[in-house]
Amino acid sequence: MLAAIRSQPWAIMPGYLEAIEAIALRVLDDPAVLALSGDGHAGRQISAVAQMGARAASTRTAMLRDGVGMLPLMGPVFPRANIMTEFSGASSLDVAAADLRALQASPDVKNILMVIDSPGGAVAQVNDFARMVAASPKPVSVHVTGLCCSAAYWIGSSAAGGMSLDPTGVVGSIGVMISTSYQVEPDANGRRDLDLTSSNAPNKRPDLSTEEGQAQIRQMLDAIEDVFIANVAQGRGVTEAVVRREFGAGGTLTGKAAKAAGMVDRIEPDGLDGAIRRLAKSGPATPRRTAAANTLTLAQARAGL
């Protein structure tokens, strides 16, 4: 299981990747696991689910309240259902995609709200799901109850209906990393663990080594990061240069700072309940970024793009 985890790139907050590795090894008293067990995410998620109403028809996880169909994206994100999604509070993109289609088809759903509290996850299928969210015939809005980081922000920033944030919500951690190891001694115990990050995310992980042999792996991470940043820029209606410069460089922003940087559209003083009530009172959602798109077009014209 550890080999499978380390064979792929991740867009996730580093502490969560350490915890996933520890859980895979069944080292449940690892400091990374203990740190996350007390970070309040379980209570936030229980509170969020309690506000979402009843289970939406023909879905596994989606909820329905006052014409607002809610699609939760909670915990680490994986491409497919697995033991983590079934028993450890993680989310799978295959289930989320099926539930999104059901909400799109339901006559009872006037607006769709994705409710996110996720540190990110595996890169596989994230771009495909983000494109599905962006192209939804019923525009998807996003509300962040806790974390919307890395792969989760990749997905959330693509939502055409805009993003709202709890006053203490956290967004960002844009960048890609891989956890790996290399041989330093001849026996099986002589391996050194190493985490590498993509070049635009210096704050995502302290630089553990500067050996030139890591450049080849970093090239792969940078290529994925380029797609990540391009999607965020398109979704938020800004240039890629703005994302690289203003969106945390792999770090995170909270509340008003995230709104000031343009990473979200509004701070919701009443949290998730306020976001649901606002959408329930409104007509069918329409894409929100006309002004932002115009600003982007002007910036690109000035840059000669």
Side-chain angles (χ1 to χ4, degrees):
M1 291 182 66
L2 186 61
I5 292 170
R6 292 186 165 187
S7 68
Q8 61 183 313
W10 293 75
I12 193 170
M13 299 178 76
Y16 279 82
L17 184 55
E18 293 174 5
I20 288 170
E21 290 187 352
I23 292 170
L25 295 172
R26 300 184 181 178
V27 185
L28 301 184
D29 59 351
D30 184 274
V33 177
L34 296 177
L36 295 182
S37 66
D39 71 354
H41 72 275
R44 288 197 309 268
Q45 293 176 12
I46 291 172
S47 176
V49 171
Q51 297 175 63
M52 289 188 217
R55 181 64 51 80
S58 304
T59 72
R60 288 181 58 181
T61 64
M63 311 289 280
L64 180 63
R65 173 181 154 190
D66 298 332
V68 180
M70 278 154 285
L71 184 68
L73 197 69
M74 305 288 188
V77 174
F78 294 87
R80 291 169 295 279
N82 56 37
I83 191 170
M84 298 288 290
T85 63
E86 296 299 322
F87 301 107
S88 298
S91 294
S92 67
L93 295 182
D94 58 350
V95 171
D99 285 354
L100 177 56
R101 292 188 187 97
L103 294 178
Q104 292 167 344
S106 173
D108 297 324
V109 175
K110 180 174 64 174
N111 287 298
I112 298 175
L113 178 65
M114 186 179 297
V115 183
I116 298 181
D117 188 355
S118 169
V123 167
Q125 296 186 21
V126 168
N127 189 48
D128 289 342
F129 185 67
R131 291 173 64 185
M132 179 182 177
V133 170
S136 175
K138 292 179 180 177
V140 178
S141 301
V142 169
H143 182 74
V144 180
T145 61
L147 302 176
C148 182
C149 294
S150 227
Y153 187 73
W154 186 338
I155 293 166
S157 65
S158 67
M163 297 181 70
S164 61
L165 182 71
D166 273 11
T168 56
V170 177
V171 297
S173 194
I174 296 172
V176 186
M177 64 183 296
I178 193 166
S179 176
T180 186
S181 66
Y182 63 92
Q183 198 77 33
V184 293
E185 298 291 344
D187 63 3
N189 294 321
R191 298 190 67 82
R192 178 185 174 188
D193 290 341
L194 184 67
D195 291 335
L196 294 178
T197 66
S198 51
S199 294
N200 195 60
N203 298 332
K204 195 174 181 77
R205 194 66 155 154
D207 186 12
L208 300 180
S209 175
T210 58
E211 297 179 7
E212 293 180 358
Q214 298 170 20
Q216 185 174 0
I217 296 177
R218 185 167 280 111
Q219 282 182 343
M220 178 266 292
L221 299 178
D222 286 350
I224 299 171
E225 183 188 62
D226 287 344
V227 178
F228 190 164
I229 288 175
N231 275 262
V232 169
Q234 181 177 14
R236 295 304 304 161
V238 298
T239 64
E240 292 181 26
V242 168
V243 176
R244 295 178 188 275
R245 186 177 65 247
E246 305 292 342
F247 281 28
T252 58
L253 296 176
T254 301
K256 292 181 179 179
K259 185 177 185 300
M263 296 183 74
V264 300
D265 297 295
R266 62 184 292 143
I267 306 300
E268 198 73 62
D270 294 328
L272 174 59
D273 187 64
I276 296 170
R277 286 188 279 107
R278 174 169 52 82
L279 285 178
K281 291 178 181 178
S282 69
T286 56
R288 55 133 178 93
R289 279 190 290 275
T290 301
N294 290 340
T295 300
L296 174 60
T297 300
L298 179 61
Q300 290 175 334
R302 288 172 174 170
L305 299 178

